[in-house]
Amino acid sequence: MVKLTIRRQDENAIWYDTFDVEERPGMTVLEALFRIQEKQDGSLCFRYSCRGAVCGSCAMLINRKPGLACRTQLSDARTEVVSESEKEDVLLKHSNKDEDKYEILVEPLPNLKVIRDLIVDMDHFFRLVDSIEPWIAAPEDAGGQQTLMEPALQMQIEKYTNCILCATCHGSCPAAERDGEYLGPAALAKAWRFFLDPRNGEEGAEKIVSGVDSEKGVWGCDVVYRCVAVCPKKVPPTSAILKFRDELK
Amino acid sequence: MIDHDIIVIGGGLAGLRAAIEAYKLGADVAVISKVYPVRSHSGAAQGGINASLGSDDSWESHAFDTVKGSDYLADQDTVEVLCKEAPERVIEMENWGCNFSRQKDGTIAQRPFGGAGFPRTCFAGDRTGHNLLHTLYEQVLRAGIKVYHEWLVIKLDVDNGRCTGLIAMNLADSEIEAFRAKATILATGGYGRIYQRSTNAIINRGFGISLAYNAGVPLEDMEFVQFHPTTLWGTNILITEGARGEGGYLYNKDHERFMERYAKEAMELAPRDIVARAIQKEIDEGRGFPEGYVHLDLTHLGKQKINERLPGIRQISIDFAGIDPVKEPIPVQPGQHYSMGGVTSDKDGRTPMQGLYAVGECACISVHGANRLGGNSLLDTVVFGRRAGINAAEDVRSRLWPDEDGLLEACRQEEIRISGMIGGEGENFASIRDELQLIMQEHVGVFRNKKGLEHALDRIRKLKKRASGLRVQSKATVFNFELMNALELQGMLELGHVIVLGALAREESRGAHYRTDHLERDDENWLKHTLAYKGDEPLLEYKEVNIGRFTPQRREY
Ligand SMILES: Cc1cc2nc3c(=O)[nH]c(=O)nc-3n(C[C@H](O)[C@H](O)[C@H](O)COP(=O)(O)OP(=O)(O)OC[C@H]3O[C@@H](n4cnc5c(N)ncnc54)[C@H](O)[C@@H]3O)c2cc1C
Ligand code: SF4
Ligand code: FES
């Protein structure tokens, strides 16, 4: 058995519920949430789609760490040592001493408004990303020719195109916590992807650089690399931010 | 009531591509989707998208491979469209920013895929769908196309034989709303999750297909269900065919490369139906590993190639099976993968119902016939998505707005129906769904026969009865997923019923439909498409296959 303690919210009411789930080998946190929703409490809500860590739907806080529920195994999460949080609103039994840990704490992703239970306001996150105008402004008729691109450049861009817009990074970012209008790691990483891309032309690249040159942009970052540490797709937003700063100097 | 000239249902590749084209032609178009578009199942596609870009390749050769792969059930006029337009569509995606892998000279790289006579699958690592989907979504943003995300479409409205729009529920507050449209484009994807083992996203429940069916549009060739040979044992996450394309080997528990017995020439790169049956047979006859899998071995490819060409596969194996393919073989088993059948539609995405189009995996334009080749369905979404966009945009120019009354009445009825499902005594959706998935897995899978199909039919009829008393306990109005699941389950049961009935009737083996009691393909009696119309029991009719330049031959690899 695994015990999941889940932060619930309905409008202004906030509480924690605990559910026991029978663990099967290889079971993920997402599967455990389904078992609860299907067998114990149909009102529990959380987002999901692919169950394979590629769509970006299921980001949440697991043992106070932002991550994808579908990619987190119960066996890893329940044996994890959780540092006691500053906020003593919930008691976790975990400590270094526990031999046989079986509790997992599940909460919504921070830095975005909670809509209900584990569902947060992603519109806000998408608005920030969209504000950098993330697209190639290809001409109506490019003449049916492919753009030639060095494999090395393609692979450099790939580091950033791998982003699945899950907002895990946003939920770990101190600048985003302070300032709701800070563009955030995902938007800035994406901006760098479009800056690198030759298909955007020089004009496009300049527009992107000027769009991130502010306290809401690359200058707002604390450079603590938390986004890089939590990203499930190994996207390095902080590198993008530092490279932009170099460009701007 | 919300009005748009054109409403596209579905924010996957097919839907977004249709919306972009309609927008370019000046139509007021909106997309409605039950998840944010970038969460659509299309993003999970790994291996690639086919186009005859190579100088020694040709659209004719692509078309031949497709028709042969389809076991001659594909309509050859639509296959011609698919293969002719492929290079243009792929280059367009490149121009819009898709991050395709490259060759040394900077051109788009291509890899070999099963059943193809040429390495014509263009790819972006093993994250092709993700790259394509984000690229199209970016173009939708650029155009400023309105997207209603996290809305579940629950009914298509029909007036006088014409689709007038739809009824949808906003998942954020459970409000039910009527959308009026001069044209509606259905792009809701496949139904993988009616099977227990599927590579599909959990949201792929085929509900969109059932909406068209319930509105009176026939479903075509639903008995043709593709099983992918290599899905990760345990979770059934896909291990792309690209893994075999890059040179992976299949071994049974005695370390035999058993494909030798089934497809001497093509070996691991035989088409999916053949490889899936081979693996299943090895397992059934005791030459698989005891838990029901075989090994897909990539270790000889080396770390560098795996990291370059199959990085996602490596990560999936580590995350979901605790296995690093650089060092160990991957445990794989067949799983449901793709819906060859769907809402019947033509090469412009038109269904028999005026004002309704269907494209992508929810549709049966019949380019995949009895067995789809890898890399052809991503292509299908962008080729036919665009064509439907063009045709819908032309169609709506001369159309008047449909009458409001019918839509408003339909909306009221849906409100009554749905509130009637909430509270009270009755069964929960999950047990019925689990049973359906098991029945489909056991009796309507890689191998089928009369006895099993009859048994499945009987049980699905009973499940349908049980489902009529379905109850939703949660009264939440904000994201009530129990309610969404209950609504979608009813559609899943309809589709299961159609698939089983079609499979029972088709007394032959063709492509992915393999009857152990009718081992041969029977062109004389069965070279025809199945059409299923809604009735108490689905009503089956048949229509001719469009045969063009390629006359049916025995299919050997
Ligand atoms: C794991 C995997 C890998 C694959 N790899 C490849 C590959 O390499 N090459 C290839 O060619 N093909 C591949 N395929 C197949 C291909 O990915 C799909 O066929 C294709 O992406 C389907 O796209 P679509 O736009 O039709 O549907 P989807 O991408 O499934 O989109 C459906 C959309 O409809 C919406 N929707 C559904 N129902 C409703 C409703 N009732 N109301 C509102 N919205 C609704 C959903 O929200 C979603 O936005 C793969 C498939 C799988 C399962
Ligand atoms: S950068 Fe990483 S963590 Fe941030 S949204 Fe993208 S994939 Fe998620
Ligand atoms: S469900 Fe898609 S990332 Fe977790």
Side-chain angles (χ1 to χ4, degrees):
Chain A
M1 280 293 187
V2 180
K3 208 182 263 312
L4 281 99
T5 300
I6 303 176
R7 185 184 191 271
R8 309 291 304 269
Q9 179 165 347
D10 199 355
E11 299 195 15
N12 295 324
I14 297 171
W15 69 100
Y16 283 81
D17 274 340
T18 298
F19 301 93
D20 288 326
V21 176
E22 189 145 359
E23 186 183 354
R24 282 187 299 96
M27 196 169 181
T28 62
V29 170
L30 185 69
E31 285 176 78
L33 293 175
F34 278 125
R35 290 293 92 81
I36 295 168
Q37 191 185 52
E38 287 168 12
K39 304 260 149 69
Q40 302 184 45
D41 184 349
S43 75
L44 177 69
C45 72
F46 49 91
R47 288 197 180 95
Y48 59 87
S49 170
C50 69
R51 71 73 179 84
V54 291
C55 78
S57 301
C58 66
M60 53 187 74
L61 211 55
I62 300 164
N63 291 335
R64 296 255 144 90
K65 269 196 333 221
L68 300 177
C70 68
R71 188 173 177 252
T72 310
Q73 304 266 324
L74 288 183
S75 54
D76 291 337
R78 70 178 166 74
T79 52
E80 196 170 49
V81 176
V82 184
S83 53
E84 287 299 325
S85 74
E86 319 81 72
K87 287 182 255 149
E88 285 315 315
D89 49 1
V90 59
L91 272 181
L92 261 189
K93 295 246 165 44
H94 293 189
S95 79
N96 293 322
K97 281 159 266 149
D98 283 348
E99 283 289 281
D100 189 17
K101 299 179 188 102
Y102 62 101
E103 286 199 20
I104 299 168
L105 178 62
V106 181
E107 296 165 296
L109 203 64
N111 303 341
L112 293 166
K113 199 179 87 206
V114 175
I115 294 179
R116 193 165 82 77
D117 293 349
L118 302 170
I119 295 189
V120 296
D121 178 16
M122 288 295 289
D123 279 353
H124 179 75
F125 171 80
F126 282 119
R127 188 172 57 74
L128 293 171
V129 175
D130 297 351
S131 72
I132 63 142
E133 306 196 351
W135 54 73
I136 298 284
E140 183 70 22
D141 179 18
Q145 289 301 312
Q146 42 175 308
T147 325
L148 299 182
M149 198 191 283
E150 294 269 323
L153 178 58
Q154 186 272 336
M155 286 196 274
Q156 232 180 312
I157 294 176
E158 186 182 277
K159 274 197 213 151
Y160 299 94
T161 51
N162 283 341
C163 171
I164 55 174
L165 295 173
C166 64
T168 304
C169 53
H170 196 88
S172 75
C173 171
E177 183 179 359
R178 242 185 351 258
D179 179 358
E181 290 307 306
Y182 173 56
L183 283 175
L188 293 169
K190 199 167 260 304
W192 184 249
R193 172 251 179 280
F194 284 103
F195 174 78
L196 281 180
D197 200 313
R199 289 167 290 200
N200 229 350
E202 251 172 64
E203 209 179 305
E206 271 165 38
K207 216 168 107 200
I208 287 173
V209 175
S210 62
V212 299
D213 183 10
S214 70
E215 282 298 315
K216 306 281 174 213
V218 294
W219 304 107
C221 168
D222 291 352
V223 202
V224 289
Y225 290 92
R226 278 203 221 157
C227 52
V228 178
V230 297
C231 176
K233 295 281 127 181
K234 300 198 178 114
V235 179
T238 317
S239 318
I241 292 168
L242 294 179
K243 285 177 184 152
F244 266 132
R245 285 183 179 180
D246 280 348
E247 261 329 293
L248 284 160
K249 265 189 210 136
Chain B
M1 170 132 33
I2 295 171
D3 290 341
H4 290 284
D5 289 344
I6 299 174
I7 297 180
V8 179
I9 311 177
L13 284 171
L16 297 184
R17 188 63 191 81
I20 289 170
E21 203 63 25
Y23 165 84
K24 281 210 244 166
L25 294 171
D28 161 35
V29 54
V31 174
I32 184 166
S33 166
K34 65 179 178 176
V35 295
Y36 285 94
V38 290
R39 314 295 188 219
S40 300
H41 166 70
S42 286
Q46 300 171 349
I49 177 167
N50 295 342
S52 52
L53 297 177
S55 55
D56 37 1
D57 198 4
S58 66
W59 75 261
E60 289 93 341
S61 149
H62 185 182
F64 173 70
D65 289 342
T66 302
V67 170
K68 181 178 172 195
S70 82
D71 224 347
Y72 294 90
L73 191 69
D75 286 333
Q76 296 187 19
D77 53 339
T78 54
V79 169
E80 182 170 328
V81 171
L82 180 83
C83 301
K84 262 191 189 155
E85 289 191 14
E88 214 176 304
R89 294 286 76 72
V90 167
I91 288 172
E92 174 177 76
M93 292 304 299
E94 192 283 332
N95 288 172
W96 285 345
C98 183
N99 194 32
F100 283 114
S101 297
R102 304 289 173 155
Q103 277 161 331
K104 281 205 189 70
D105 65 0
T107 54
I108 297 173
Q110 293 180 288
R111 64 166 46 129
F113 246 44
F118 192 87
R120 71 167 71 88
T121 304
C122 311
F123 58 97
D126 52 8
R127 301 182 178 111
T128 312
H130 165 85
N131 278 278
L132 291 171
L133 182 63
H134 280 247
T135 301
L136 279 188
Y137 184 61
E138 286 153 17
Q139 294 300 316
V140 164
L141 279 176
R142 177 186 176 196
I145 293 168
K146 170 84 184 158
V147 177
Y148 297 87
H149 55 76
E150 303 189 305
W151 282 74
L152 180 72
V153 177
I154 54 177
K155 192 178 170 48
L156 295 177
D157 190 62
V158 182
D159 184 15
N160 243 329
R162 187 174 173 86
C163 181
T164 58
L166 54 96
I167 313 296
M169 182 169 78
N170 185 351
L171 296 173
D173 59 12
S174 294
E175 288 298 316
I176 292 169
E177 181 73 79
F179 286 73
R180 181 166 64 156
K182 296 177 185 171
T184 304
I185 301 177
L186 200 62
T188 52
Y191 56 66
R193 288 289 163 173
I194 72 174
Y195 280 82
Q196 188 190 40
R197 291 187 194 146
S198 171
T199 60
N200 285 201
I202 296 176
I203 60 167
N204 278 22
R205 302 185 180 124
F207 192 40
I209 302 176
S210 75
L211 296 179
Y213 177 68
N214 283 312
V217 184
L219 305 186
E220 184 173 337
D221 291 342
M222 290 291 282
E223 62 270 33
F224 294 99
V225 180
Q226 181 160 74
F227 298 87
H228 199 288
T230 60
T231 80
L232 191 63
W233 177 73
T235 50
N236 303 104
I237 295 176
L238 181 74
I239 303 298
T240 174
E241 189 166 316
R244 281 170 288 135
E246 298 293 349
Y249 297 146
L250 287 166
Y251 291 115
N252 62 18
K253 80 170 192 318
D254 306 323
H255 205 68
E256 289 173 303
R257 256 183 94 187
F258 56 84
M259 280 313 298
E260 243 164 24
R261 279 201 283 280
Y262 305 92
K264 220 170 168 34
E265 297 275 308
M267 294 293 284
E268 279 87 355
L269 282 177
R272 291 178 175 172
D273 55 331
I274 294 174
V275 185
R277 277 196 296 275
I279 295 179
Q280 195 60 50
K281 199 151 182 242
E282 291 295 305
I283 295 171
D284 291 349
E285 293 180 358
R287 292 187 298 277
F289 291 85
E291 295 88 349
Y293 59 82
V294 297
H295 273 156
L296 172 61
D297 194 356
L298 307 181
T299 52
H300 56 283
L301 300 181
K303 187 167 171 181
Q304 194 192 344
K305 186 156 187 190
I306 292 177
N307 280 346
E308 244 172 64
R309 297 294 179 96
L310 303 162
I313 289 304
R314 186 173 179 204
Q315 200 57 49
I316 286 169
S317 306
I318 293 171
D319 285 349
F320 295 95
I323 272 162
D324 185 349
V326 168
K327 300 187 202 115
E328 290 166 273
I330 311 171
V332 293
Q333 62 181 192
Q336 190 286 345
H337 183 60
Y338 184 83
S339 337
M340 263 85 67
V343 181
T344 186
S345 66
D346 70 9
K347 65 184 194 312
D348 297 320
R350 279 196 199 92
T351 71
M353 178 177 285
Q354 279 192 30
L356 183 69
Y357 295 76
V359 284
E361 194 171 338
C362 73
C364 182
I365 291 176
S366 196
V367 284
H368 309 303
N371 172 65
R372 169 180 74 93
L373 291 189
N376 265 354
S377 71
L378 292 179
L379 179 61
D380 164 359
T381 64
V382 290
V383 166
F384 295 106
R386 172 177 164 276
R387 293 176 71 94
I390 295 175
N391 281 277
E394 274 166 13
D395 181 23
V396 299
R397 273 196 204 116
S398 56
R399 291 283 170 190
L400 299 175
W401 283 106
D403 195 39
E404 291 192 353
D405 299 347
L407 269 160
L408 292 173
E409 177 53 29
C411 195
R412 260 193 305 277
Q413 279 178 13
E414 285 301 283
E415 275 166 0
I416 295 168
R417 178 171 79 97
I418 286 171
S419 57
M421 288 167 68
I422 296 176
E425 292 289 300
E427 206 172 346
N428 166 286
F429 74 90
S431 52
I432 300 178
R433 181 206 57 199
D434 290 351
E435 267 188 56
L436 172 68
Q437 290 174 333
L438 198 65
I439 293 167
M440 297 301 291
Q441 190 67 42
E442 280 185 351
H443 303 293
V444 204
V446 178
F447 295 113
R448 298 138 180 223
N449 61 44
K450 183 162 190 258
K451 197 159 153 257
L453 290 168
E454 277 175 347
H455 176 74
L457 185 61
D458 180 53
R459 290 189 54 196
I460 287 179
R461 285 186 187 131
K462 288 186 180 129
L463 286 181
K464 272 180 133 175
K465 272 212 192 82
R466 268 164 65 190
S468 59
L470 204 63
R471 282 290 172 283
V472 176
Q473 290 311 324
S474 168
K475 295 197 168 68
T477 49
V478 180
F479 291 101
N480 188 336
F481 285 143
E482 192 189 346
L483 174 59
M484 180 173 89
N485 273 297
L487 288 167
E488 292 195 302
L489 174 62
Q490 293 169 335
M492 291 165 78
L493 289 164
E494 298 269 22
L495 298 192
H497 199 167
V498 172
I499 293 169
V500 171
L501 215 60
L504 189 57
R506 187 174 282 274
E507 296 187 329
E508 65 160 349
S509 286
R510 182 186 297 270
H513 172 69
Y514 194 86
R515 290 273 304 249
T516 53
D517 49 354
H518 296 279
L519 295 172
E520 293 295 318
R521 191 175 88 193
D522 176 1
D523 282 348
E524 203 173 313
N525 294 304
W526 288 104
L527 185 57
K528 56 190 182 188
H529 297 294
T530 308
L531 291 178
Y533 289 83
K534 164 95 176 173
D536 277 344
E537 286 280 305
L539 306 169
L540 301 185
E541 280 181 16
Y542 293 91
K543 87 172 176 189
E544 262 181 54
V545 177
N546 185 308
I547 304 285
R549 61 176 74 202
F550 310 115
T551 28
Q553 311 165 2
R554 222 186 133 73
R555 185 165 160 251
E556 267 160 0
Y557 288 93

